[in-house]
Amino acid sequence: MKLGLVLEGGAMRGMYTAGVLDTFLKNQITVDCAVGVSAGALFGVNYISGQGGRVIRYNKRFNSDKNYLGLRPLLREGNIVDTKYAYEDVPHRLDPFDDESYKKSGVPFYAVVTNIETGKPEYIQIHSVFEQMDVLRASGSMPFVSKPVEIGGKKYLDGGIADSIPFEWLSKQGCDKLIVILTRDLNYRKKPMSAPLVKMYYRNNPRIVKKLLERHQLYNRTVELLRNWEKDNRAFVIRPSEPIGIRRIEKDPDKLQEVYELGVRDAGKYLPKLREYIAGK
């Protein structure tokens, strides 16, 4: 049996995912491969490196810094998160990421990015977080508040634009069973974006315009399909037991902690059934 892990994005709603994954680490829940989208990719690599607690720790520490996250870096460089601060200073020096443990894990981890020319998703394996930080940065480059990231002569944005919950893709990589961690509750359905805003902002990228305008339909269909997989026991889904109301760029450490603890609680409740699912019962 090959067990796969799928991590939805959602910016700071990813604190929920961090709580779930830290619970996995404490209870020795391991997987054979994983794929993350946006915050799911940025936070998920810490599960592979075995660094429980790191995601909630550094976000509570740095999010409130105006030079790290928010209007100041957006006006200065066109990104809602300061690139050097977030992707160089924090992982290398201020709260080091353990890239060696990540590489030694033996668990293939993929980040989803959206090609702005084709509008299609691409799934890039992260062999080294430090060497492929631009891929993770691209996966988490939210529309409207982030510049596209250039990789190999091509430009990319947030993977959630093209494939928010890539469980079908991971299943095709040979996974017999899937664990899917969502950051939206059972009743959530995505609403359409403002067409004039999308067309104005991305007027030079028609395929991205099309993807963004259709994104709510694709997302809602994906959620319905995933529910069918869940009913058929093809996937084990962990989702918030209540709506997560924090902002996408939440700075309040107490609110971040609340969402993290919701993930911890929910994961604890899911554990017995999850173990049964993994064991094939």
Side-chain angles (χ1 to χ4, degrees), residues 1-164:
M1 182 197 76
K2 187 176 179 181
L3 179 64
L5 175 66
V6 181
L7 307 173
E8 183 182 14
M12 288 303 114
R13 291 196 310 275
M15 291 302 105
Y16 179 85
T17 301
V20 174
L21 293 179
D22 282 356
T23 302
F24 281 11
L25 286 173
K26 290 179 180 178
N27 290 273
Q28 293 81 51
I29 301 296
T30 60
V31 298
D32 299 302
C33 59
V35 60
V37 182
S38 195
L42 290 165
F43 299 162
V45 293
N46 296 273
Y47 166 70
I48 304 300
S49 68
Q51 291 178 273
R54 181 174 180 269
V55 172
I56 183 64
R57 182 176 65 243
Y58 79 73
N59 278 280
K60 286 177 65 177
R61 179 182 174 188
F62 299 114
N63 279 20
S64 58
D65 187 335
K66 294 179 180 179
N67 290 308
Y68 177 81
L69 174 71
L71 186 61
R72 191 170 294 177
L74 182 62
L75 293 175
R76 186 173 58 240
E77 65 172 83
N79 291 310
I80 198 73
V81 178
D82 184 279
T83 300
K84 181 179 181 300
Y85 198 156
Y87 297 102
E88 295 181 26
D89 295 346
V90 171
H92 284 277
R93 181 171 56 85
L94 299 176
D95 195 327
F97 178 78
D98 189 349
D99 200 37
E100 289 306 311
S101 292
Y102 174 89
K103 290 187 286 188
K104 291 177 182 177
S105 71
V107 179
F109 187 93
Y110 298 84
V112 186
V113 295
T114 300
N115 186 310
I116 67 169
E117 291 186 6
T118 67
K120 295 181 178 180
E122 295 182 17
Y123 309 85
I124 302 175
Q125 185 173 352
I126 306 298
H127 299 281
S128 164
V129 168
F130 285 165
E131 294 174 12
Q132 296 175 275
M133 192 65 79
D134 280 349
V135 177
L136 292 170
R137 187 161 66 89
S139 185
S141 291
M142 295 183 290
F144 307 110
V145 293
S146 304
K147 289 181 177 180
V149 178
E150 186 170 327
I151 304 169
K154 299 177 182 179
K155 292 183 178 181
Y156 297 92
L157 279 172
D158 195 309
I161 296 171
D163 194 352
S164 294

